[in-house]
Amino acid sequence: KVDRESGTSFARGLGAGLGRIFRYLPEEFKERLFQKAKQNVQFANGLGAGLGQTFQYLDEAQRTEMISRAEENEQFGRGFGFGLGYSFIYLGGQLQQQIISWVLEKKGGLVRGLGAGFANCIFFSAVSDDLRDKIFSMTEISHEFALGLGSGLGDVLPYLDQGLNKRILDQARRNAILARGLGFGLGHSFEFLPNSMSEAIFREAKEIHDLARGFGNGSGHIFHRLNPRLQESILEKAETDREFAMGLCEGLGQDFKDLDQTTQNRILNWMYQRVGLAYGFGEGLGRNFLSLSPDIRQKILAKASEANNEFIEGLRDGLKYSFRYLGKDLQSAILKAAERNPSFANKAWNES
């Protein structure tokens, strides 16, 4: 089940539960869990989170192994970092200092996950203002940490008091990367935001462009699970806010595979009429081309055979990342489209 339902929270929850009891499991079973983590990103994220939350109970050799695995597997690392950040205030002083030093020394999912975990920790616990100031200061040092902290703060912002909300938004005005992450977290929670808060965020986003871009991206990521009324509301907002629309295009490109066919066709028609916003959407589709239905792939390649616009440029650049993983038949269809339309061709495909 875990392999088939990689998009569900079941896999992530199962991974988290097994991560928390990891130290009690037989060695052979532990290795099987890591093999599953290579096959399923949600399971990897959950397993990492569970292990991060119990990091203090691991021996030195196990800690070293987990850090190494967190650096090798992006999603495991992101979950692992989240677990560490989430449980930060319960750790000893020496371990806390070591974790803070990782923000400077390490990169990728681990650092982004630390940021998201800290967001859940420092605003729901009795921590000193000095620690909060320290956390915010680290966003100036690491872009990955700033993205993670912003995304995590977006998840918790609706539950904080007005004073904390104001402080977070003030920080976002000074730090574009934090603002982008904050917007993404808020967009990812769009369906749960009170109307008053979503309207307030749109007002703030008119002044903080990176907040708008992230808000659109996060909304695009969860577009498939929204009801038609909310979907229409988001598309209407995109008509009047260019930065939000650009972010939405990027998110929709990655979320497109999860939309029903009617909605997919509606989005494609909407996008073709807005060439200036279409690059991010095209790139997202290119990166996730294998996950699209055969009918949608055929329609997109038909456009790529004859058109030259920002959507096609984005599609071409996105395929640069996914082309090597496509089967020979699909690669051949893409190359044939490029033969008919040289502006669609990308020599990087042949090097993949």
Side-chain angles (χ1 to χ4, degrees):
K1 262 307 198 198
V2 176
D3 289 329
R4 292 196 187 109
E5 302 193 10
S6 59
T8 69
S9 57
F10 171 78
R12 187 166 59 250
L14 178 63
L18 289 168
R20 293 188 192 101
I21 62 170
F22 186 84
R23 62 191 185 278
Y24 304 118
L25 300 175
E27 291 300 320
E28 180 183 350
F29 190 67
K30 290 178 182 177
E31 189 53 41
R32 287 178 60 192
L33 296 184
F34 286 121
Q35 291 303 315
K36 285 288 183 188
K38 291 179 181 178
Q39 301 164 8
N40 185 294
V41 295
Q42 297 292 342
F43 182 78
N45 189 285
L47 182 64
L51 281 162
Q53 289 174 5
T54 58
F55 187 73
Q56 60 185 315
Y57 304 114
L58 304 180
D59 61 39
E60 199 59 39
Q62 289 174 322
R63 290 181 181 183
T64 300
E65 180 190 0
M66 295 312 143
I67 295 167
S68 176
R69 290 185 182 275
E71 292 179 309
E72 293 170 359
N73 184 320
E74 173 80 12
Q75 283 299 325
F76 176 82
R78 194 173 294 190
F80 184 65
F82 179 88
L84 285 170
Y86 188 83
S87 58
F88 183 81
I89 61 170
Y90 305 110
L91 306 177
Q94 185 175 354
L95 192 50
Q96 286 183 340
Q97 289 304 312
Q98 183 182 19
I99 290 170
I100 287 175
S101 73
W102 290 346
V103 176
L104 298 173
E105 299 168 4
K106 302 189 182 299
K107 298 179 181 179
L110 173 60
V111 178
R112 188 178 295 196
L114 276 171
F118 273 127
N120 282 264
C121 163
I122 64 174
F123 290 102
F124 286 106
S125 308
V127 299
S128 68
D129 286 337
D130 286 345
L131 178 57
R132 286 179 180 163
D133 290 341
K134 175 73 172 176
I135 299 302
F136 276 125
S137 72
M138 291 193 295
T139 63
E140 303 294 335
I141 299 167
S142 168
H143 284 183
E144 291 287 351
F145 184 78
L147 275 174
L149 182 67
S151 179
L153 290 174
D155 288 337
V156 302
L157 200 71
Y159 310 105
L160 304 179
D161 62 50
Q162 288 187 347
L164 282 176
N165 279 351
K166 183 178 182 304
R167 182 178 181 186
I168 291 167
L169 287 170
D170 286 344
Q171 290 287 339
R173 288 187 180 91
R174 295 193 290 269
N175 188 314
I177 305 299
L178 179 70
R180 185 75 63 97
L182 177 64
F184 182 86
L186 287 164
H188 222 256
S189 306
F190 189 91
E191 63 195 306
F192 306 116
L193 296 178
N195 287 338
S196 58
M197 172 157 279
S198 61
E199 290 302 322
I201 296 302
F202 276 116
R203 287 195 298 273
E204 292 288 345
K206 290 186 180 300
E207 298 180 12
I208 311 173
H209 290 171
D210 283 281
L211 179 67
R213 188 74 170 262
F215 196 33
N217 196 326
S219 300
H221 268 262
I222 53 96
F223 198 81
H224 68 278
R225 73 179 190 222
L226 302 178
N227 64 51
R229 182 182 60 80
L230 281 177
Q231 289 181 346
E232 200 59 42
S233 172
I234 286 173
L235 294 179
E236 287 175 5
K237 290 293 184 184
E239 297 280 2
T240 59
D241 188 325
R242 180 177 172 81
E243 290 294 331
F244 177 79
M246 290 174 69
L248 178 65
C249 293
E250 294 165 0
L252 280 172
Q254 297 175 57
D255 182 63
F256 200 73
K257 64 185 184 298
D258 297 316
L259 301 174
D260 62 76
Q261 193 162 358
T262 300
T263 305
Q264 285 182 340
N265 286 323
R266 182 160 60 101
I267 295 296
L268 282 173
N269 291 332
W270 183 81
M271 197 61 60
Y272 291 148
Q273 298 168 26
R274 291 156 182 82
V275 176
L277 302 178
Y279 178 89
F281 180 60
E283 185 185 27
L285 290 180
R287 286 175 180 263
N288 297 276
F289 203 70
L290 185 61
S291 65
L292 303 178
S293 71
D295 286 346
I296 292 295
R297 289 201 296 255
Q298 187 175 358
K299 287 181 182 178
I300 291 171
L301 289 179
K303 288 283 185 183
S305 298
E306 59 190 33
N308 181 22
N309 53 41
E310 288 195 26
F311 173 77
I312 300 304
E313 289 178 13
L315 178 67
R316 179 193 63 204
D317 292 347
L319 282 167
K320 178 173 64 179
Y321 298 95
S322 63
F323 188 82
R324 72 182 65 183
Y325 306 112
L326 306 177
K328 290 186 182 299
D329 289 344
L330 196 47
Q331 287 180 342
S332 178
I334 292 169
L335 293 173
K336 285 179 181 177
E339 287 176 8
R340 292 191 291 271
N341 182 5
S343 64
F344 176 55
N346 189 329
K347 66 179 182 179
W349 301 339
N350 294 318
E351 297 169 1
S352 298

